Amino acid sequence: MKIRTIISFISAVFITNFSFAQLSDLVKIDYTILPRGNSEIEYSRIRGLFNYPIQLKKEGSYLLLGLDYSNIKLVMDAHPSFNKEALSDFQLLDLNIGYTAALKNDWRLGMRLTPGFSSNLTAHDLSLEDVIISGDVVFIKDKTKDKTIKKPWRLILGASYSGNRGYPFPLPFISYYRKFHSKWSYNIGIPKTNLQYHASSQHRFKLYAELDGFTANLQQGVTINNTLEAESINMSIVLGGLQYEYHISKHIQFYARGSYILNNSVNLRAKNKDDILKLDSSNALYLRTGIRFKI
């Protein structure tokens, strides 16, 4: 029962780049690519994460510690207004610190603080401008394990902020999950919505829509047209598509997804976060594959 409690918390509140991940992943490695297509940019990302839950003395309370690392590469055409080399490679590292505790009436509190850095590291040393802070506070009511309920459900309400997901402003965190059939379930909310078909114990298909992206500091700046200086880059994506999951075992899962990009924006920003140059980012496809080890 304690492991299930951890899963209820960690599957709800962890959000990295973007892409939104689940903290039920103890170990995960994945690869994402946005093929160039008709745009001037090709985006690729290699990501690895590790999480470890710790039971605290207070009954029903847990601490969660984890690391989340990404290497992002942008391959772009020569640009007349700036040197593209400073925008080719980005390093992202987050330290996840989570806490959960039981409340009254079957509610549960979940909190997460994520300090980290996101930078092109052209100066080879970190600075305060590279630091990214993220955080979440959510309240969870989980009835997915209640055998007396014919259609299991879970409700999560809260707020989330991340300086490194492409949408660097507070967002509501709303999630309502229900399994309304032995082979069908849905999740409606912000930042993601999906409809899932449970083909068998090993094979699942998921139609989904969600947000993705990243924000990173540009060390030493990037001069544009010999006048303006960009100090950060922001990429924000809205996408929808199909995900396939193959459950190799109870805890090991392979997944692959293909998505259509509904909206994609890549901007170079000044020190005050104002957009000063929008890059051609008319990519249409978003592809990701990976493997995860879950609780």
Side-chain angles (χ1 to χ4, degrees), residues 217-236:
N217 183 50
L218 300 175
Q219 292 186 342
Q220 302 178 327
V222 174
T223 302
I224 301 172
N225 292 325
N226 298 317
T227 55
L228 300 174
E229 184 166 284
E231 303 244 347
S232 65
I233 183 172
N234 184 81
M235 182 177 190
S236 57

Side-chain angles (χ1 to χ4, degrees), residues 163-214:
N164 188 30
R165 65 177 167 216
Y167 296 85
F169 47 81
L171 287 173
F173 194 108
I174 303 170
S175 175
Y176 178 71
Y177 166 87
R178 181 178 286 271
K179 189 169 185 180
F180 60 93
H181 185 275
S182 60
K183 290 186 176 294
W184 289 93
S185 64
Y186 64 80
N187 187 94
I188 298 175
I190 302 172
K192 63 181 179 180
T193 293
N194 64 60
L195 174 66
Q196 187 168 187
Y197 175 61
H198 305 250
S200 69
S201 60
Q202 286 187 307
H203 304 279
R204 295 183 187 178
F205 297 88
K206 184 183 297 182
L207 287 171
Y208 69 92
E210 63 181 43
L211 308 178
D212 199 356
F214 81 102

